[in-house]
Amino acid sequence: MSRYDAMFNRLRGHGEAAFGGFLMLGDPDLETCARLLDAVVEGGADMIEVGIPFSDPVADGPVIQAAAVRALEAGTRVDDCFGLLTEFRSRHTDIPIGILTYANLVAARGRDRFFADAAAAGVDSLLIADVPSLEAEPYADEARSAGVSLVMIAAPNTPGQTLTRIGRLCSGYTYCVARAGVTGERQQLALEHDRLFTTLRSVGAPPAVLGFGISTPDHVRQAIESGAAGVISGSAIVRLGVEQGADAVREFVATMKAATRSTISA
């Protein structure tokens, strides 16, 4: 059983949804990032998503783009990221780890090597944000060979035929976007995901986890009430980590995780 399957099974048994926290690896430096990753776990996150700093992160808004710039300016490279994850995995053996990255980084390293190195570092999934489902088959094959999951993105306006393809190729969880555009904090969410979640279940896709704009406990409750199995918060955590440090990240994550319990048990 994968770490994602074990996590979702455990949470269903406790009447909870999943909370995932995102950080950019190497931001603002490797040592500080390691402390922030630990703080996300200590705050109660069920899963971790991380970015590998890249010069053109087209799916990301200004907060996460700035994090990538800081990490690159600090000298963080792909090898450093895998090293950081290897150390993190040695401290946290059970929590699922997912990488969100871009095709250029995978191609530059070599697809087979990138997937193998991710698996060796203890990574559970890869989401390659700029690879469309029509081009994802080789990545799904490589993921299966390496023993990791290929996570794919779905949105309310994704055509049914594409959702069927996603259901066939995707594993671990399905990353569902809460709104159009790029990552970033928002005051309100406009969720119209009933059809999306129903279709994903009907085509056998893994559990739907909602991201893009999740930054308050109310967002968490809204997402779960709409049918999501979990949420991922990124920009809010990245901003807190830079501005206030690990204690603030730990407290924020604890508050967001608490919202996953109150919603399911209500």
Side-chain angles (χ1 to χ4, degrees):
M1 179 183 293
S2 74
R3 290 188 182 92
Y4 286 116
D5 290 340
M7 176 194 73
F8 285 119
N9 287 343
R10 172 179 58 82
L11 293 173
R12 279 192 291 267
H14 294 161
E16 300 176 18
F19 179 78
F22 173 93
L23 284 168
M24 181 64 65
L25 295 173
D27 174 39
D29 55 65
L30 293 171
E31 183 179 350
T32 303
C33 184
R35 290 197 296 269
L36 293 174
L37 286 166
D38 287 343
V40 172
V41 177
E42 292 159 3
D46 303 293
M47 55 190 285
I48 296 287
E49 186 183 57
V50 296
I52 293 179
F54 178 51
S55 58
D56 190 22
V58 294
D60 292 309
V63 172
I64 295 178
Q65 285 191 20
V69 170
R70 286 192 298 269
L72 289 171
E73 289 179 345
T76 303
R77 298 297 182 261
V78 176
D79 284 342
D80 300 313
C81 293
F82 285 134
L84 187 60
L85 291 174
T86 299
E87 294 172 1
F88 176 82
R89 173 57 77 206
S90 72
R91 299 190 299 275
H92 306 284
T93 57
D94 296 328
I95 190 165
I97 302 170
I99 289 175
L100 190 158
T101 190
Y102 293 90
N104 279 24
L105 289 177
V106 177
R109 196 173 187 85
R111 191 167 58 214
D112 56 346
R113 182 185 173 197
F114 193 100
F115 276 81
D117 288 347
V123 170
D124 298 282
S125 70
L126 287 167
L127 192 169
I128 306 169
D130 52 351
V131 171
S133 65
L134 281 171
E135 299 176 9
E137 188 97 41
Y139 294 89
D141 292 342
E142 200 70 61
R144 280 190 292 270
S145 296
V148 300
S149 296
L150 182 70
V151 172
M152 301 184 70
I153 296 176
N157 63 346
T158 301
Q161 184 177 5
T162 302
L163 293 177
T164 298
R165 188 181 307 113
I166 288 171
R168 178 172 59 84
L169 298 176
C170 184
S171 57
Y173 67 96
T174 308
Y175 194 116
C176 297
V177 295
R179 55 175 176 75
V182 296
T183 61
E185 298 170 86
R186 290 294 185 273
Q187 293 300 312
Q188 294 181 329
L189 298 181
L191 295 176
E192 298 178 357
H193 288 68
D194 291 349
R195 181 194 69 83
L196 173 62
F197 294 151
T198 299
T199 303
L200 286 171
R201 285 191 294 269
S202 72
V203 299
V209 175
L210 207 63
F212 281 39
I214 306 294
S215 55
T216 71
D218 281 344
H219 291 166
V220 175
R221 286 186 279 268
Q222 291 172 41
I224 296 167
E225 288 168 359
S226 76
V231 298
I232 292 175
S233 179
S235 293
I237 293 175
V238 170
R239 178 181 54 78
L240 278 174
V242 170
E243 295 178 357
Q244 300 183 41
D247 289 344
V249 166
R250 190 180 300 109
E251 182 178 349
F252 175 79
V253 171
T255 301
M256 297 288 273
K257 175 57 192 174
T260 73
R261 302 185 185 103
S262 62
T263 300
I264 297 299
S265 60

